């Protein structure tokens, strides 16, 4: 039996992004899988550019990764009470690719932020952004990782027992949908 394909999409492009660390930890807790992290460093969406040159190859690659994945995990930082612009831009571009790779796809949404609310507002907005794509978004347990720069040990594992327990449960729930 082959391992399930799990795709992570981080709303932060930073090299040491805590959202990327959270996705890596989620993939570890998910268990045996073929995990890949999508590269969403896309140009800004511009309808004129799309009309003249089409959907960029990098965008189509991520759309194809979503379509091929058995499940997707999304993590967003919180910028000004919403998800990052890079993540919204990626969603806009991916919506322009052929077909709808999100349709019926099991998706777990989480957030990691410096503040004490852990990106709860950004995560709620992100969930709203996903509605037109019709994925199967898990409702919980919700992961809002607060003070995220201090939430991981030297091995990249979550320090807080509550976060580790809830993320483990979320990944078990996601695994159960594939």
């Amino acid at each position: 039996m082959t391992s399930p394909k799990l795709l992570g999409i981080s709303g932060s492009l930073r090299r040491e992004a805590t959202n990327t660390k959270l996705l890596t930890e989620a993939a570890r807790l998910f268990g045996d899988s073929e995990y890949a992290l999508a590269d969403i460093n896309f140009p800004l969406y511009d309808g004129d550019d799309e009309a003249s040159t089409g959907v960029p190859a990098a965008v189509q690659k991520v759309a194809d990764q979503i379509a091929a994945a058995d499940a997707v995990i999304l993590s967003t930082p919180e910028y000004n009470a919403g998800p990052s612009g890079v993540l919204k831009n990626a969603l806009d571009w991916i919506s322009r690719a052929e077909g709808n790779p999100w349709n019926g796809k099991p998706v777990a949404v989480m957030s990691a932020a410096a503040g004490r609310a852990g990106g709860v507002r950004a995560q709620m907005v992100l969930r709203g952004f996903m509605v037109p794509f019709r994925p199967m978004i898990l409702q919980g347990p919700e992961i809002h990782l607060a003070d995220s720069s201090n939430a991981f040990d030297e091995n990249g594992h979550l320090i807080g027992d509550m976060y580790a327990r809830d993320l483990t449960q979320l990944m078990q729930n996601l695994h159960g949908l594939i």
Side-chain angles (χ1 to χ4, degrees):
M1 180 173 194
T2 61
S3 297
K5 292 181 183 177
L6 183 64
L7 181 67
I9 301 177
S10 176
S12 179
L13 299 177
R14 288 182 27 246
R15 191 173 27 253
E16 293 296 318
T18 56
N19 281 277
T20 304
K21 289 180 181 181
L22 182 57
L23 291 171
T24 302
E25 179 71 342
R28 182 184 74 80
L29 294 171
F30 182 85
D32 183 40
S33 68
E34 293 178 32
Y35 175 68
L37 180 65
D39 179 0
I40 61 167
N41 195 359
F42 302 155
L44 289 175
Y45 178 76
D46 180 328
D48 291 338
D49 288 345
E50 180 190 7
S52 66
T53 60
V55 173
V59 173
Q60 189 61 56
K61 178 182 178 182
V62 173
D64 293 344
Q65 286 177 303
I66 294 166
D70 293 303
V72 177
I73 49 179
L74 293 170
S75 189
T76 184
E78 184 168 283
Y79 298 155
N80 303 307
S84 66
V86 71
L87 185 54
K88 176 62 166 107
N89 184 62
L91 294 175
D92 289 342
W93 261 122
I94 292 165
S95 76
R96 306 303 297 165
E98 284 296 315
N100 178 6
W102 296 107
N103 192 30
K105 186 74 56 181
V107 175
V109 177
M110 57 197 77
S111 54
R116 66 178 181 223
V120 66
R121 295 173 295 184
Q123 189 179 138
M124 291 307 298
V125 173
L126 176 57
R127 287 171 179 271
F129 287 165
M130 296 301 294
V131 169
F133 307 133
R134 298 182 307 279
M136 188 183 336
I137 297 177
L138 276 76
Q139 298 305 307
E142 295 180 43
I143 306 298
H144 308 109
L145 188 62
D147 189 23
S148 62
S149 64
N150 295 308
F152 299 93
D153 67 17
E154 62 279 352
N155 297 314
H157 298 250
L158 285 169
I159 293 170
D161 291 340
M162 178 188 69
Y163 288 129
R165 181 192 70 234
D166 287 351
L167 187 57
T168 299
Q169 184 62 59
L170 181 63
M171 291 301 98
Q172 287 174 351
N173 294 351
L174 184 63
H175 203 283
L177 293 176
I178 56 175

